[in-house]
Amino acid sequence: MRTLDWVDGAIEMVDQTKLPQVVETLRIETVADLVAAIERLSVRGAPAIGVAGAYGVALAALRHDPGTDRSGFDAAVASIRSARPTAVNLARMVDRVAPIAAADPAAGLAEAHRIRDEELAASIAMGERGADLVEALMVERAAAGDRDGAAVRVMTICNTGGLAAVERGTALAVVQTLHERGRLAEALPIETRPLLQGGRLTTWELQRMGAPHRLLVDSAGPFLLSRGGADVVLIGADRVAANGDTANKIGSFSLALGAADAGVPFVVVAPESTIDPATASGDDIEIEDRGPDEVASVRGVPVAPDGTPACNPAFDITPVRLITALVTDRRTVRFDRGETL
Amino acid sequence: MRTLDWVDGAIEMVDQTKLPQVVETLRIETVADLVAAIERLSVRGAPAIGVAGAYGVALAALRHDPGTDRSGFDAAVASIRSARPTAVNLARMVDRVAPIAAADPAAGLAEAHRIRDEELAASIAMGERGADLVEALMVERAAAGDRDGAAVRVMTICNTGGLAAVERGTALAVVQTLHERGRLAEALPIETRPLLQGGRLTTWELQRMGAPHRLLVDSAGPFLLSRGGADVVLIGADRVAANGDTANKIGSFSLALGAADAGVPFVVVAPESTIDPATASGDDIEIEDRGPDEVASVRGVPVAPDGTPACNPAFDITPVRLITALVTDRRTVRFDRGETL
């Protein structure tokens, strides 16, 4: 199922703020409503936000009265572009559709469809390529006497599924492909404090795809790996540096340490666009601190004394020495065999 | 401050179920009320439960009408002894006080006071010995060029303070002693999902002692260590095996991996009574799974789809190869120098 699409002349999306207790589809017919939806995180995940932005520009063009001047259209485009200032993908997709839509609204909509279809094709490619790699790794481990090469138990973090990317996603696309191939024994998402995307969103997607799964608190992940509880760890990426160091949701580094200590493969799944040749290594990536509120409360309930100070890094850096391989929509890079980007 | 004590003929304790938002002292004048308080976790932590049980037996003896037969007293003692069936310390302390109190209620109360004072003396000893070790480790690291030997940043997990042990505690006693010596730069408790003892209780104790601190989500701990954010990790212990492997709250193993990877000392602080010579190694320790409810909700708020299955190990095992030293109330064992128990 698609979590975001163009349906009968408007944008429809699953409202992620209400998941998992309420599954509600938002129908968005105006640019103002789209901007509000992006701002309150009803849609999140770089690819999904990019597609939403592309459709928003098409919507603005289709609603624009061609008898008037362009200033209303331009203001609408600017408001979409700045709905999430740090989301590079949003600005890039808005900029791609805007000139086309300004000249021809129908062509703009066609371009937005193309962006959606490109994201979907990338997810399918990552899922297939990643599942091929996981199967190959299991054969290698079985040859080394580690496992019997049967169905695979996959640990993962955050939400890297269709909710983040229209459909299928990145690391979770690999889980889905393994499940479709009958090779998934169990998915083991960690809950991913502070915002609990693993507990709220990934479990919901796994339920929808009928994949067996068990949820873990974050710090149980490395211990379960040490006890032989998973065969591979799959994560997404916010940014991959030129040397392979990977910035991703806080908690990824802990899983990488646990996987390395237990001899379990640790695989990053991300589109080519995530690779940033301008960043030499993880040392050059600044870590955003998102402030104490997310740590001191859970969904509005206080879990620490009022005013408790916190250190809240939004993501962490996994050094390439702990990463077995990177899977993109175009290639597989085996760092464990000395391959480089 | 003491979190549990005998005051004017009854037991008084801080009600831990209401912390940190409400600080309420329970006054307990009957055995039935004590059993209820232990069962609902108003008091938790092995030493604190042991002292509560000892005072409970004294209470039963003092309230017992000497003109009647012993059956009422014996039933009261049995109800205290079984209030938390897995807490070995509770049964041990109840068994120590009961025969004395049966013969002479005042002597029973004196024995309970002695148990309280022994726990307090053990906490003071662990705090001093642990702080001495941390200072020595900082000198060693400074000699190796790692740090300037100034004030210390301490990462810790769960609640190991006065709330668990009448006053001061184990690992948190070391933090408190460092703070009293003017050597603590910052305490960095991790919140400790699923039950959040770090976020709810340790932060509250650090506030009360005026110690600077910042709270972290659990999976931020190893990453902060990798970025040089702490100088030492201090944890308590549920059980220490004969070879030094240590069972403690889930998440301890992740911190140990992070500390080892970053070259940061990792120290276990626990009373001698925690060492179990009958357990050869961590492989012999069975891990209790506490079921899905604690993972799928936080203080009553759902954080996963209804019915989500979970894997919820209550504690984990840190192998001795990752532990720098063990500090007890009687000795310091430097595993990093090849010393053994």
Side-chain angles (χ1 to χ4, degrees):
Chain A
M1 55 145 299
R2 293 188 184 164
T3 56
L4 168 74
D5 211 347
W6 182 265
V7 180
D8 299 333
I11 302 166
E12 290 192 355
M13 61 172 72
V14 174
D15 186 348
Q16 298 194 33
T17 62
K18 306 215 168 149
L19 289 175
Q21 268 64 40
V22 176
V23 182
E24 191 175 298
T25 299
L26 288 176
R27 185 167 170 84
I28 290 175
E29 313 212 350
T30 70
V31 168
D33 284 352
L34 176 66
V35 169
I38 294 173
E39 283 176 347
R40 73 170 171 263
L41 306 185
S42 289
V43 55
R44 49 154 281 288
I49 292 175
V51 173
Y55 279 128
V57 174
L59 197 63
L62 291 165
R63 294 284 187 278
H64 180 66
D65 179 351
T68 63
D69 75 14
R70 266 191 57 164
S71 63
F73 172 75
D74 289 344
V77 169
S79 71
I80 299 166
R81 198 179 190 284
S82 62
R84 279 284 291 278
T86 55
V88 176
N89 216 46
L90 173 62
R92 202 160 58 206
M93 297 309 165
V94 165
D95 292 346
R96 182 169 147 190
V97 176
I100 300 168
D104 177 352
L109 179 60
E111 188 69 12
H113 286 323
R114 206 148 27 234
I115 288 171
R116 176 202 62 196
D117 294 343
E118 286 169 12
E119 292 293 354
L120 182 50
S123 280
I124 291 170
M126 284 184 279
E128 293 293 331
R129 193 181 297 283
D132 289 348
L133 173 66
V134 170
E135 296 203 42
L137 287 166
M138 293 306 109
V139 170
E140 290 171 28
R141 297 189 76 203
D146 259 12
R147 274 268 295 168
D148 60 5
V152 184
R153 300 161 303 170
V154 181
M155 193 173 290
T156 189
I157 180 171
C158 198
N159 175 258
T160 57
L163 288 168
V166 183
E167 195 169 341
R168 302 186 77 87
T170 58
L172 208 61
V174 178
V175 173
Q176 185 169 354
T177 304
L178 286 167
H179 179 53
E180 289 162 355
R181 291 183 185 178
R183 294 299 310 276
L184 183 74
E186 183 179 39
L188 295 157
I190 66 171
E191 64 177 357
T192 320
R193 277 280 283 153
L195 295 182
L196 297 162
Q197 294 93 338
R200 295 189 298 111
L201 307 179
T202 299
T203 51
W204 181 79
E205 292 203 48
L206 289 164
Q207 260 187 13
R208 305 272 291 200
M209 65 176 89
H213 62 279
R214 284 184 297 161
L215 180 63
L216 308 175
V217 299
D218 300 325
S219 64
F223 178 60
L224 200 68
L225 290 167
S226 80
R227 291 259 158 155
D231 305 303
V232 64
V233 178
L234 300 175
I235 71 163
D238 285 287
R239 200 186 329 175
V240 178
N243 73 339
D245 290 353
T246 294
N248 192 46
K249 185 66 57 190
I250 188 76
S252 302
F253 174 66
S254 297
L255 292 186
L257 285 174
D261 192 67
V264 170
F266 184 91
V267 177
V268 178
V269 185
E272 283 286 328
S273 58
T274 311
I275 301 170
D276 180 9
T279 301
S281 82
D283 295 339
D284 302 324
I285 300 177
E286 202 189 330
I287 305 294
E288 168 197 6
D289 190 299
R290 290 176 54 89
D293 291 354
E294 295 174 355
V295 179
S297 68
V298 174
R299 310 209 85 189
V301 176
V303 292
D306 297 338
T308 295
C311 170
N312 184 20
F315 54 96
D316 62 25
I317 308 291
T318 300
V320 67
R321 68 182 158 89
L322 300 176
I323 303 174
T324 307
L326 167 68
V327 172
T328 80
D329 42 320
R330 291 212 295 269
R331 55 181 166 157
T332 298
V333 184
R334 288 285 298 255
F335 296 126
D336 67 335
R337 292 183 173 171
E339 295 177 11
T340 56
L341 285 176
Chain B
M1 54 146 298
R2 293 190 184 162
T3 56
L4 169 74
D5 211 346
W6 181 265
V7 181
D8 299 332
I11 302 167
E12 290 192 355
M13 61 172 71
V14 174
D15 185 347
Q16 298 194 33
T17 62
K18 306 215 168 148
L19 290 176
Q21 267 63 41
V22 175
V23 182
E24 191 174 297
T25 299
L26 288 177
R27 185 167 170 86
I28 289 176
E29 313 211 350
T30 70
V31 168
D33 282 354
L34 177 66
V35 169
I38 294 173
E39 284 176 348
R40 73 169 172 265
L41 306 185
S42 288
V43 55
R44 48 154 281 289
I49 292 176
V51 173
Y55 279 129
V57 174
L59 197 62
L62 291 165
R63 294 284 186 280
H64 179 67
D65 179 350
T68 63
D69 75 14
R70 265 190 59 162
S71 65
F73 172 74
D74 290 343
V77 169
S79 71
I80 299 167
R81 199 179 191 285
S82 62
R84 278 284 293 276
T86 55
V88 176
N89 216 46
L90 173 61
R92 203 160 57 206
M93 297 310 164
V94 165
D95 292 346
R96 182 169 146 188
V97 176
I100 301 169
D104 177 352
L109 179 60
E111 188 68 12
H113 285 324
R114 211 156 14 243
I115 288 173
R116 175 202 62 196
D117 293 343
E118 286 168 11
E119 292 293 353
L120 182 50
S123 281
I124 290 170
M126 284 184 277
E128 293 293 330
R129 194 181 296 285
D132 289 348
L133 173 67
V134 170
E135 296 204 43
L137 288 167
M138 293 306 110
V139 170
E140 290 171 27
R141 298 189 75 203
D146 259 12
R147 274 268 295 169
D148 60 5
V152 184
R153 300 161 302 170
V154 180
M155 193 174 289
T156 190
I157 180 171
C158 198
N159 176 257
T160 57
L163 287 168
V166 184
E167 194 168 342
R168 302 187 78 89
T170 58
L172 208 61
V174 179
V175 173
Q176 184 169 354
T177 304
L178 287 168
H179 179 54
E180 289 162 357
R181 291 181 184 179
R183 294 299 310 276
L184 182 74
E186 183 179 37
L188 295 158
I190 66 172
E191 64 177 358
T192 320
R193 278 281 281 152
L195 295 181
L196 297 162
Q197 293 93 337
R200 295 189 299 111
L201 307 179
T202 300
T203 51
W204 181 80
E205 292 204 49
L206 290 165
Q207 260 188 14
R208 305 271 290 200
M209 65 176 89
H213 62 279
R214 284 184 297 161
L215 180 64
L216 308 175
V217 298
D218 300 324
S219 64
F223 178 60
L224 201 68
L225 290 167
S226 80
R227 291 261 159 154
D231 304 303
V232 65
V233 179
L234 299 175
I235 71 162
D238 286 287
R239 199 185 331 175
V240 178
N243 74 339
D245 290 354
T246 295
N248 191 47
K249 185 65 58 189
I250 188 76
S252 303
F253 174 66
S254 298
L255 292 186
L257 285 174
D261 192 68
V264 170
F266 184 92
V267 177
V268 178
V269 184
E272 282 287 329
S273 58
T274 312
I275 300 170
D276 180 9
T279 302
S281 81
D283 295 339
D284 302 324
I285 300 176
E286 202 189 330
I287 305 296
E288 168 198 5
D289 190 299
R290 291 175 53 88
D293 292 353
E294 295 174 354
V295 179
S297 67
V298 175
R299 310 210 84 190
V301 176
V303 293
D306 296 339
T308 295
C311 170
N312 183 20
F315 55 94
D316 61 26
I317 308 290
T318 300
V320 67
R321 68 181 158 90
L322 301 176
I323 302 173
T324 307
L326 167 68
V327 172
T328 79
D329 43 320
R330 291 212 295 270
R331 55 182 165 157
T332 298
V333 184
R334 289 285 299 255
F335 296 126
D336 67 335
R337 292 183 173 171
E339 295 176 12
T340 57
L341 284 176

